[in-house]
Amino acid sequence: MKRILAIVAIVAFSFALPSCKGKSDADLKTAAEAAISANPELTGTTVEVKDGVATISGELKDPAAQAAAESAVKGVEGIKSVQNQTSVMPPPPPRL
């Protein structure tokens, strides 16, 4: 009887262990891209995820858009941290 209980416990543990891992980086990237694409001002922003850390890059129109991109990705459940490597477009040259 003890042997059967031990086998059942081992099998149950082996099925439960993968569920502790959480979402994969691919799943997190998909969710982060969806969060970015929900805001039309963030067009051109790219997201990469490695070990739960999201890196966003691209050229945005202003610092508010940079903050919005970072905030959108931070709101994705499972993202541990965000590295914001976006830049702000330079202003257009003055018209003469």
Side-chain angles (χ1 to χ4, degrees):
M1 185 68 174
K2 287 183 182 180
R3 187 177 216 159
I4 292 172
L5 288 175
I7 291 171
V8 169
I10 290 170
V11 169
F13 180 74
S14 65
F15 283 112
L17 187 59
S19 67
C20 295
K21 184 181 178 194
K23 295 181 180 179
S24 70
D25 286 342
D27 291 339
L28 293 173
K29 179 179 178 175
T30 300
E33 287 172 338
I36 290 288
S37 67
N39 185 339
E41 291 188 7
L42 305 180
T43 303
T45 304
T46 59
V47 181
E48 294 299 324
V49 179
K50 183 170 180 177
D51 299 328
V53 177
T55 302
I56 55 175
S57 57
E59 193 171 65
L60 299 168
K61 69 176 190 170
D62 57 30
Q66 280 183 304
E70 186 170 338
S71 180
V73 175
K74 279 183 179 178
V76 173
E77 185 177 339
I79 295 289
K80 296 176 185 176
S81 64
V82 176
Q83 295 180 347
N84 190 342
Q85 296 181 349
T86 59
S87 59
V88 175
M89 286 187 240
R95 289 186 163 181
L96 297 177

